[in-house]
mmCIF file of all heavy atoms in Angstrom:
data_model
loop_
_atom_site.group_PDB
_atom_site.id
_atom_site.type_symbol
_atom_site.label_atom_id
_atom_site.label_comp_id
_atom_site.label_asym_id
_atom_site.label_seq_id
_atom_site.Cartn_x
_atom_site.Cartn_y
_atom_site.Cartn_z
ATOM 1 N N GLN A 25 -1.861 -14.416 7.978
ATOM 2 C CA GLN A 25 -1.973 -13.395 9.027
ATOM 3 C C GLN A 25 -2.596 -14.031 10.267
ATOM 4 O O GLN A 25 -3.433 -14.937 10.172
ATOM 5 C CB GLN A 25 -2.784 -12.180 8.540
ATOM 6 C CG GLN A 25 -4.138 -12.484 7.942
ATOM 7 C CD GLN A 25 -5.287 -12.494 8.919
ATOM 8 O OE1 GLN A 25 -5.146 -12.071 10.087
ATOM 9 N NE2 GLN A 25 -6.445 -12.966 8.485
ATOM 10 N N ASP A 26 -2.165 -13.518 11.417
ATOM 11 C CA ASP A 26 -2.635 -14.089 12.689
ATOM 12 C C ASP A 26 -3.436 -13.082 13.495
ATOM 13 O O ASP A 26 -3.460 -13.147 14.734
ATOM 14 C CB ASP A 26 -1.459 -14.636 13.491
ATOM 15 C CG ASP A 26 -0.424 -13.576 13.831
ATOM 16 O OD1 ASP A 26 -0.609 -12.397 13.447
ATOM 17 O OD2 ASP A 26 0.576 -13.922 14.478
ATOM 18 N N MET A 27 -4.054 -12.119 12.809
ATOM 19 C CA MET A 27 -4.808 -11.062 13.492
ATOM 20 C C MET A 27 -6.318 -11.250 13.354
ATOM 21 O O MET A 27 -7.081 -10.349 13.710
ATOM 22 C CB MET A 27 -4.379 -9.699 12.918
ATOM 23 C CG MET A 27 -2.911 -9.394 13.191
ATOM 24 S SD MET A 27 -2.309 -7.918 12.344
ATOM 25 C CE MET A 27 -2.049 -8.544 10.692
ATOM 26 N N ASN A 28 -6.736 -12.373 12.798
ATOM 27 C CA ASN A 28 -8.153 -12.679 12.604
ATOM 28 C C ASN A 28 -8.846 -11.639 11.718
ATOM 29 O O ASN A 28 -10.031 -11.323 11.916
ATOM 30 C CB ASN A 28 -8.876 -12.786 13.952
ATOM 31 C CG ASN A 28 -10.115 -13.655 13.849
ATOM 32 O OD1 ASN A 28 -10.183 -14.575 13.040
ATOM 33 N ND2 ASN A 28 -11.112 -13.336 14.648
ATOM 34 N N HIS A 29 -8.101 -11.115 10.747
ATOM 35 C CA HIS A 29 -8.662 -10.135 9.816
ATOM 36 C C HIS A 29 -9.521 -10.819 8.768
ATOM 37 O O HIS A 29 -9.134 -11.833 8.197
ATOM 38 C CB HIS A 29 -7.541 -9.362 9.120
ATOM 39 C CG HIS A 29 -6.861 -8.382 10.000
ATOM 40 N ND1 HIS A 29 -5.623 -7.841 9.688
ATOM 41 C CD2 HIS A 29 -7.226 -7.813 11.164
ATOM 42 C CE1 HIS A 29 -5.271 -6.987 10.618
ATOM 43 N NE2 HIS A 29 -6.233 -6.955 11.533
ATOM 44 N N GLU A 30 -10.682 -10.195 8.496
ATOM 45 C CA GLU A 30 -11.551 -10.754 7.459
ATOM 46 C C GLU A 30 -11.010 -10.430 6.064
ATOM 47 O O GLU A 30 -11.102 -11.225 5.148
ATOM 48 C CB GLU A 30 -12.977 -10.184 7.569
ATOM 49 C CG GLU A 30 -13.665 -10.457 8.902
ATOM 50 C CD GLU A 30 -13.531 -9.278 9.857
ATOM 51 O OE1 GLU A 30 -12.659 -8.399 9.628
ATOM 52 O OE2 GLU A 30 -14.298 -9.219 10.822
ATOM 53 N N TYR A 31 -10.480 -9.232 5.908
ATOM 54 C CA TYR A 31 -10.095 -8.749 4.577
ATOM 55 C C TYR A 31 -8.629 -9.051 4.322
ATOM 56 O O TYR A 31 -7.762 -8.729 5.144
ATOM 57 C CB TYR A 31 -10.340 -7.242 4.499
ATOM 58 C CG TYR A 31 -10.065 -6.640 3.135
ATOM 59 C CD1 TYR A 31 -11.035 -6.633 2.147
ATOM 60 C CD2 TYR A 31 -8.836 -6.062 2.855
ATOM 61 C CE1 TYR A 31 -10.788 -6.084 0.909
ATOM 62 C CE2 TYR A 31 -8.579 -5.501 1.617
ATOM 63 C CZ TYR A 31 -9.562 -5.515 0.646
ATOM 64 O OH TYR A 31 -9.308 -4.964 -0.587
ATOM 65 N N MET A 32 -8.350 -9.657 3.167
ATOM 66 C CA MET A 32 -6.978 -9.880 2.727
ATOM 67 C C MET A 32 -6.879 -9.548 1.250
ATOM 68 O O MET A 32 -7.855 -9.672 0.507
ATOM 69 C CB MET A 32 -6.535 -11.328 2.978
ATOM 70 C CG MET A 32 -6.495 -11.691 4.456
ATOM 71 S SD MET A 32 -5.832 -13.332 4.781
ATOM 72 C CE MET A 32 -4.069 -13.067 4.484
ATOM 73 N N SER A 33 -5.695 -9.106 0.850
ATOM 74 C CA SER A 33 -5.543 -8.666 -0.531
ATOM 75 C C SER A 33 -4.116 -8.875 -1.002
ATOM 76 O O SER A 33 -3.194 -9.004 -0.184
ATOM 77 C CB SER A 33 -5.931 -7.185 -0.667
ATOM 78 O OG SER A 33 -5.172 -6.395 0.226
ATOM 79 N N TRP A 34 -3.959 -8.884 -2.326
ATOM 80 C CA TRP A 34 -2.648 -8.964 -2.961
ATOM 81 C C TRP A 34 -2.461 -7.749 -3.870
ATOM 82 O O TRP A 34 -3.359 -7.399 -4.649
ATOM 83 C CB TRP A 34 -2.526 -10.222 -3.812
ATOM 84 C CG TRP A 34 -2.168 -11.446 -3.045
ATOM 85 C CD1 TRP A 34 -3.001 -12.439 -2.622
ATOM 86 C CD2 TRP A 34 -0.857 -11.818 -2.599
ATOM 87 N NE1 TRP A 34 -2.291 -13.407 -1.941
ATOM 88 C CE2 TRP A 34 -0.972 -13.052 -1.916
ATOM 89 C CE3 TRP A 34 0.406 -11.241 -2.719
ATOM 90 C CZ2 TRP A 34 0.125 -13.716 -1.354
ATOM 91 C CZ3 TRP A 34 1.497 -11.895 -2.157
ATOM 92 C CH2 TRP A 34 1.350 -13.115 -1.485
ATOM 93 N N TYR A 35 -1.268 -7.144 -3.763
ATOM 94 C CA TYR A 35 -0.887 -6.031 -4.621
ATOM 95 C C TYR A 35 0.418 -6.386 -5.320
ATOM 96 O O TYR A 35 1.230 -7.148 -4.803
ATOM 97 C CB TYR A 35 -0.646 -4.763 -3.798
ATOM 98 C CG TYR A 35 -1.861 -4.170 -3.141
ATOM 99 C CD1 TYR A 35 -2.285 -4.609 -1.886
ATOM 100 C CD2 TYR A 35 -2.578 -3.157 -3.762
ATOM 101 C CE1 TYR A 35 -3.393 -4.065 -1.278
ATOM 102 C CE2 TYR A 35 -3.699 -2.599 -3.147
ATOM 103 C CZ TYR A 35 -4.096 -3.055 -1.918
ATOM 104 O OH TYR A 35 -5.194 -2.502 -1.311
ATOM 105 N N ARG A 36 0.619 -5.772 -6.464
ATOM 106 C CA ARG A 36 1.940 -5.806 -7.079
ATOM 107 C C ARG A 36 2.476 -4.393 -7.162
ATOM 108 O O ARG A 36 1.700 -3.434 -7.352
ATOM 109 C CB ARG A 36 1.916 -6.464 -8.457
ATOM 110 C CG ARG A 36 1.040 -5.828 -9.497
ATOM 111 C CD ARG A 36 1.190 -6.522 -10.851
ATOM 112 N NE ARG A 36 2.489 -6.261 -11.473
ATOM 113 C CZ ARG A 36 2.936 -6.866 -12.566
ATOM 114 N NH1 ARG A 36 2.185 -7.780 -13.168
ATOM 115 N NH2 ARG A 36 4.109 -6.569 -13.066
ATOM 116 N N GLN A 37 3.775 -4.256 -6.982
ATOM 117 C CA GLN A 37 4.420 -2.949 -6.995
ATOM 118 C C GLN A 37 5.403 -2.884 -8.140
ATOM 119 O O GLN A 37 6.341 -3.675 -8.210
ATOM 120 C CB GLN A 37 5.145 -2.675 -5.671
ATOM 121 C CG GLN A 37 5.792 -1.303 -5.632
ATOM 122 C CD GLN A 37 6.503 -1.029 -4.337
ATOM 123 O OE1 GLN A 37 6.920 -1.934 -3.627
ATOM 124 N NE2 GLN A 37 6.624 0.246 -3.978
#
Side-chain angles (χ1 to χ4, degrees):
Chain A
Q25 52 90 11
D26 60 0
M27 296 172 281
N28 205 30
H29 287 163
E30 300 97 343
Y31 184 86
M32 296 185 74
S33 56
W34 277 100
Y35 293 86
R36 60 176 289 172
Q37 182 180 24

